[in-house]
Amino acid sequence: HVQLVESGGGLVQPGGSLRLSCAASGTGFTTLTIAWYRQAPGKEREWVSEISRGGSTKYADSVKGRFTISRDNAKNTVYLQMNSLRPEDTAVYYCKGVDRSGWGVYWGQGTQVTVSS
């Protein structure tokens, strides 16, 4: 069983940066594809980015060129570096892990990101 814990959220001004972390406990981290999702008030949860077991990355068009996802398997952690933040990036950010079978799906509790002047 895997537990995921997000951290690194906070309040930042437009144009600023934050780095979110998704730390995993338990075994099997290296077998997981990890994705970041976000949910703004009154909106559905949306996919933001993901990184495969092998390190391949994908991004939503809305964050491409501004966000960078990476993983450190030695630390059982995935990072989301967010630059040039905009007010519309304000949301609760969640990480999700999916194992090779697709049956093992794990969510973190979320971390709040607020972009405001």
Side-chain angles (χ1 to χ4, degrees), residues 10-114:
L11 173 64
V12 64
Q13 293 187 341
S17 298
L18 282 174
R19 188 178 79 159
L20 305 183
S21 298
C22 173
S25 61
T27 59
F29 175 77
T30 57
T31 69
L32 300 178
T33 290
I34 301 289
W36 285 97
Y37 286 74
R38 65 186 181 186
Q39 188 166 20
K43 295 188 176 181
E44 293 188 353
R45 192 170 296 190
E46 65 172 352
W47 174 82
V48 174
S49 180
E50 69 181 51
I51 186 164
S52 72
R53 294 180 295 276
S56 298
T57 59
K58 298 179 182 179
Y59 299 92
D61 286 345
S62 59
V63 307
K64 202 172 292 184
R66 299 188 298 123
F67 290 10
T68 303
I69 192 170
S70 62
R71 68 190 297 158
D72 185 339
N73 288 337
K75 295 183 178 180
N76 281 7
T77 302
V78 166
Y79 303 100
L80 187 68
Q81 178 67 43
M82 307 188 296
N83 299 328
S84 302
L85 283 162
R86 305 167 180 168
E88 53 264 39
D89 295 317
T90 295
V92 178
Y93 283 70
Y94 300 88
C95 64
K96 172 187 173 184
V98 182
D99 68 12
R100 282 195 182 101
S101 72
W103 291 102
V105 179
Y106 312 97
W107 286 93
Q109 83 291 346
T111 186
Q112 175 71 47
V113 171
T114 303

